[in-house]
Each structure stands twice: as structure tokens, then as C-alpha cells.
Amino acid sequence: MGSSSGEEGEEEWVPPSRRPELADVAPLPQADGPCPVVSIAYRGDFHEVMDYFRALYAAGERSPRALRLTADAIHLNPGNYTVWHFRRVVLEALDADLLLEMHFVDQIAESNPKNYQVWHHKRWLAEKIGPDAANSEHDFTRKILAMDAKNYHAWSHRQWVLQALGGWESELQYCNQLLEEDVFNNSAWNQRYLVVTRSPILGGLAAMRDSEVDYTVEAIMVNPQNESPWRYLRGLYKDDNNLLVADNRISDACLKVLNKDWTCVFALSFLLDLLRMGLQPSNELKGTIEAMENSDPETGHADIAVAVCSILQKCDPLRINYWSWYQTTLSS
């Protein structure tokens, strides 16, 4: 177990009670009260380290030995937020090398990639270091996301670094890479939307919409049952329904998908929303929907939106009550 920030090698761990630098410290036991109901059976090394930590913490000592002791406590329990907080206090008091500290916390994060306290500490460090930390933080989150592409902590940290410290230049290409590897990666689609709408170098959603629609429609054609690009496509027209309805690429995409698979709920529901917003269906689209609906004339519907609702009730039985209700809103 390493015992100090930025150590390169593994040294034999020495218990606090055997360290000359801590000879003057009286360990402070945990206050469990006179009659603890269920005492926790702590390991001996954990018990000893925390007793010494509590003594220095209670004394408010900001010293190199206090910093080394927090490292011991963190190695034993990386989720102890009190220890992390005290470590930050000591680091500031000592004016410590924050790059060495980032190396230390990166080692902890690699073994504990879903630890809230670790990522909070990294953000604190990155704020202190400033824009110079951007590239290394992006590299680190890439490393973590390569192990787990859905790690919420890594994505949250990456988005914060982008917005606070920069590094937008290659982020869209990174999203491309992730989606090439796994087009079902909803986290990558979410990141792509952040980049398109927030990047200061791309010109904003209005400037990117046209190319992004083409990109998204292509992804839909490859995997129509992938919900993420359908959601992303809707987001590209946020707060502009008229523009969404007017873009023939959208209704054409729904039509192409339904001609191949009439049960695609994402295409049907998107089409239903377009009709609700005022889409005037082409004759080809009308013919496709009529062919999809039950050929029995008694079950046919003159209104194409009602017809789509009827189809959804058949191919999406889990939400049959919802589509039935939706249909009543169309009738009204």
C-alpha cells in the first residue's frame, strides 16, 4: 500500500505505530459509545490507520505526515469523503505539487472508476491547475471509457472539463469513433449532442443541423431498431417543430424504414408525431400506411394519424393503453 502522494515505486508498508515521525501522536479511537449494539470488525491495519488519522484530523494538523496518512486511509477506503476533504485542506496548506497529486488520484481512480469522491477530487485539482489540465483529463477519461463506455462519472467529468477548461477541437471526432465502434452507445449520442449544441468552434445547432441530420438518418437506416439516433434526430429540431415537419428527409426516413419493417415502433411513433405537428403525407406514405393497416375495410381509418395509432396498438402491445388514449386525443 502506497503511503504518499506521487510515489513511483511500491515500498513496504509500515504501520503508523512503527513510524518514528508519528511517535508523538496519541491514536484517537473511534467513538462508538459505551454500549455499541453491533461493533464493526475492522481489519487491524484499517483500525490503526484511522485511529492515527483521527488524531491528526482532530488536531487540525496540516503537515507532510498528515498528507501521507490520508494516502494510507484512502488506499484502505477510497470512499471516505472526510479523508478526501482533509487531504485537500492539507494540500492547500502545504502548497503541494498538484501534478503529482493528480498522478496519485489517477491511480486510485483506475481501481475505483465509479467512486464519487475520487472524481470530485479530480475536478478540484483540475480547477486548481487550470486549462493546462484539459488534455491530460481528456486522455484519462478516454482510458476509463475504453474500459466502460457507460461510466457516468467519466462522462460527467469529461463534459465538465470541456466546458470549464476546453478541448473541444477533437471531441466530435471522438464521438464518431465511439459510434463507429458501437452505434448503440447512447452515452456517445448524448455526448455528440452536447458537442453540436455547446461547442464554441462548430457554430451551434443551426450551423450543424443539416450535416447532423444526414449523419443520423444514415445511422437509422443501418439499425432502425436503435432508439438513440431517433431521439437524437428529434433533438436536432428542438423547439422548432415547423422546421422538423418541413424537412422531407425525416418523413422519407420513416417511410423507408416502414417499407422494410412495418413493426418499427420508433419509426411509427416519430411519424405519428410528425402528423400531429401538421405533416401533409405524400400519396406514397398514405399508400404504405393503408397497406400496413388491416385490410379489413371495417377496421380501416380515413385519418392517417388514427391509422398509425391503430398499427402501434398491434405492434407495441406493452403500450397498447397509451396508444389507445393517444388515438382518442386525435379524434377529439
Side-chain angles (χ1 to χ4, degrees), residues 184-198:
F184 288 88
N185 186 341
N186 57 297
S187 296
W189 282 105
N190 181 71
Q191 184 73 355
R192 188 181 188 92
Y193 192 77
L194 175 85
V195 176
V196 167
T197 57
R198 304 263 185 103

Side-chain angles (χ1 to χ4, degrees), residues 8 22 24 34 96 166 172 179 232:
E8 293 295 334
L22 294 173
D24 63 318
L172 188 59
L179 291 171
Y232 184 81

Side-chain angles (χ1 to χ4, degrees), residues 75-113:
H75 279 294
L76 290 166
N77 178 15
N80 191 321
Y81 52 85
T82 301
V83 175
W84 282 109
H85 169 73
F86 187 58
R87 185 174 180 86
R88 287 189 286 275
V89 171
V90 175
L91 285 167
E92 286 194 310
L94 299 178
D95 194 22
D97 187 334
L98 298 185
L99 293 179
L100 282 178
E101 177 66 5
M102 188 66 85
H103 176 69
F104 166 78
V105 74
D106 282 353
Q107 292 178 314
I108 302 297
E110 285 186 35
S111 301
N112 302 270

Side-chain angles (χ1 to χ4, degrees), residues 241-267:
N241 291 340
N242 290 334
L243 195 59
L244 172 61
V245 172
D247 193 333
N248 292 330
R249 290 173 296 178
I250 311 302
S251 56
D252 287 347
C254 294
L255 178 59
K256 289 177 182 178
V257 170
L258 293 173
N259 278 330
K260 293 181 179 179
D261 179 10
W262 71 272
T263 66
C264 182
V265 173
F266 305 126

Side-chain angles (χ1 to χ4, degrees), residues 117-172:
Q117 286 73 38
V118 169
W119 289 101
H120 178 74
H121 194 70
K122 279 183 65 63
R123 179 178 295 195
W124 178 82
L125 285 170
E127 280 184 311
K128 294 288 185 182
I129 296 170
D132 289 343
N135 288 338
S136 60
E137 288 305 282
H138 287 312
D139 288 342
F140 184 78
T141 52
R142 276 177 179 257
K143 185 176 183 179
I144 297 299
L145 292 169
M147 296 187 287
D148 178 5
K150 303 296 181 68
N151 187 315
Y152 162 80
H153 305 274
W155 278 119
S156 179
H157 186 70
R158 189 176 185 90
Q159 292 187 357
W160 175 81
V161 171
L162 281 170
Q163 295 175 89
L165 305 178
W168 294 97
E169 294 78 11
S170 60
E171 195 64 13
L172 188 59

Side-chain angles (χ1 to χ4, degrees), residues 47-84:
H47 198 290
E48 183 172 332
V49 166
M50 291 308 298
D51 284 358
Y52 275 84
F53 167 77
R54 274 189 291 271
L56 297 186
Y57 179 75
E61 181 175 317
R62 282 101 162 124
S63 65
R65 70 178 183 178
L67 186 63
R68 287 189 286 272
L69 201 56
T70 61
D72 289 328
I74 286 167
H75 279 294
L76 290 166
N77 178 15
N80 191 321
Y81 52 85
T82 301
V83 175
W84 282 109

